[in-house]
Amino acid sequence: MAAVTAASSSDYRLTVIQILWRAFLLPSAVAPSLLLPLLLLTILSTSLLFLSAYSISPSLLDLLSRLSPLLRGDPPPPAFLDLRRALLADLRAIARVAAPSAVLFFLASLLLTLAVLYTLAITYSSHSGVSPSQLLRRIARRWYQTLITRLYVLILTLGLALLTSLTLAALVLALDAAAEAVAGAVAVPAALLYLYLSTRWWISLVVTAVEETWGIGALSWSVELFIGNKKRGTALTLLLKSVQLGILAALGVALATASAGPPGPPPPPPEKQMLLWAAAAAATALWEMFSMAAYAVFYDECRKSHGLELDKIKYEALI
């Protein structure tokens, strides 16, 4: 009987579009007294990150302008030591402004990720709401475990970026080709690998928030759950990341258009640029919450595909 139940539970699988639609409807099942604070705190946390980026943008642009001749392969200027001092000064200015905001954003994002994933996953999986007191108890119990899983994900992400960079540099040296030509051949496989791994990493965060395993255990369990769901998961992450990149690209285009302006008049005031950054921060926060809802639904789909029906009593005991 158990085998029949498991098979019947995995016969019907949601498509990526159906997962996104259920994720769109999922927040409406959360009590407004809980959803609104989570949404406002997510917007506040994302705004902190964008404010930090806005604060360092002048120093970053100055740094890029100094580096551009070297990146093009031009010979070092005569006053190379002065250029190096200027580069170090720009880097110190960036670190001085960005480091405190980055730490605050990481901590705020950690707690919000745990709170949002737990609330959405429990609401969807067990069809029962989560009260604010239950959510606070869960955060108090699982913040450390979520931190460890998040650090693992961060290390793996940085490792993938480093491996991609080293591969690109090795191919450029070995083939004696231009970096642009080699980058095109490396970018597509690296992007597909990142989408594949990123989906598993997000599932490990949902596992950490909802279940009792964490760290390496959550990453290993996400590998098991991902079996048979690779195509759906990778396509889901591709859509979510594409929109996220679209928001950032729209911000870049808007800033470039505003900064260019018509010839003659002075550039637009900083207030207009701040408004663009604030709009992008709000859009990013909303999309981030929607993405977490999508991964909560996909996590449930992964469990059902393996015949693991969710037990409401079990999840109530985990609060």
Side-chain angles (χ1 to χ4, degrees), residues 24-81:
F24 177 75
L25 298 176
L26 180 55
S28 63
V30 181
S33 60
L34 191 58
L35 179 64
L36 290 178
L38 289 176
L39 179 59
L40 291 176
L41 289 173
T42 303
I43 293 176
L44 181 62
S45 173
T46 308
S47 299
L48 175 65
L49 177 65
F50 275 71
L51 178 62
S52 174
Y54 174 75
S55 301
I56 67 173
S57 56
S59 298
L60 187 60
L61 291 175
D62 186 51
L63 177 65
L64 292 176
S65 66
R66 297 180 192 276
L67 283 175
S68 57
L70 299 178
L71 295 176
R72 289 196 303 265
D74 297 344
F80 182 71
L81 292 179

Side-chain angles (χ1 to χ4, degrees), residues 9-312:
S9 65
S10 59
D11 284 343
Y12 177 72
R13 297 187 180 186
L14 297 179
T15 64
V16 174
I17 299 301
Q18 289 172 323
I19 291 174
L20 293 174
W21 176 246
R22 293 198 178 187
F24 177 75
L25 298 176
L26 180 55
S28 63
V30 181
S33 60
L34 191 58
L35 179 64
L36 290 178
L38 289 176
L39 179 59
L40 291 176
L41 289 173
T42 303
I43 293 176
L44 181 62
S45 173
T46 308
S47 299
L48 175 65
L49 177 65
F50 275 71
L51 178 62
S52 174
Y54 174 75
S55 301
I56 67 173
S57 56
S59 298
L60 187 60
L61 291 175
D62 186 51
L63 177 65
L64 292 176
S65 66
R66 297 180 192 276
L67 283 175
S68 57
L70 299 178
L71 295 176
R72 289 196 303 265
D74 297 344
F80 182 71
L81 292 179
D82 294 336
L83 175 61
R84 189 180 67 175
R85 294 192 196 97
L87 291 174
L88 291 176
D90 289 336
L91 289 173
R92 283 194 294 267
I94 292 173
R96 193 164 46 246
V97 175
S101 299
V103 172
L104 288 176
F105 172 76
F106 179 81
L107 295 176
S109 176
L110 173 74
L111 298 178
L112 283 171
T113 299
L114 169 59
V116 173
L117 286 177
Y118 181 75
T119 300
L120 295 174
I122 293 298
T123 301
Y124 181 81
S125 301
S126 64
H127 307 290
S128 62
V130 177
S131 67
S133 60
Q134 291 171 332
L135 179 59
L136 290 176
R137 288 199 300 270
R138 187 62 180 176
I139 292 174
R141 284 189 56 201
R142 298 296 290 179
W143 71 267
Y144 174 76
Q145 289 84 349
T146 308
L147 172 64
I148 298 301
T149 305
R150 192 71 177 266
L151 288 176
Y152 274 118
V153 170
L154 178 62
I155 291 172
L156 291 171
T157 304
L158 294 176
L160 178 61
L162 179 61
L163 177 62
T164 303
S165 301
L166 292 177
T167 302
L168 176 61
L171 289 175
V172 169
L173 293 176
L175 301 176
D176 194 20
E180 294 82 359
V182 179
V186 175
V188 174
L192 291 175
L193 179 61
Y194 171 73
L195 292 173
Y196 168 77
L197 294 175
S198 179
T199 312
R200 283 175 31 184
W201 296 338
W202 267 107
I203 295 301
S204 71
L205 289 172
V206 183
V207 168
T208 303
V210 176
E211 303 188 27
E212 288 299 280
T213 186
W214 51 284
I216 295 295
L219 291 167
S220 300
W221 183 225
S222 69
V223 174
E224 298 292 331
L225 292 176
F226 209 46
I227 295 176
N229 299 289
K230 298 181 180 68
K231 292 182 180 179
R232 283 193 304 169
T234 304
L236 177 65
T237 301
L238 173 61
L239 290 174
L240 295 175
K241 294 292 184 183
S242 297
V243 174
Q244 188 177 35
L245 288 176
I247 294 173
L248 297 177
L251 172 63
V253 171
L255 288 174
T257 303
S259 299
E271 291 79 9
K272 185 175 181 180
Q273 296 187 22
M274 280 293 295
L275 183 61
L276 293 173
W277 283 90
T284 301
L286 291 172
W287 191 253
E288 182 181 355
M289 181 166 282
F290 173 75
S291 299
M292 286 189 277
Y295 286 118
V297 176
F298 181 63
Y299 162 77
D300 184 78
E301 279 293 296
C302 289
R303 288 185 61 93
K304 287 180 178 178
S305 70
H306 291 275
L308 301 174
E309 294 293 344
L310 297 175
D311 187 356
K312 178 179 176 181

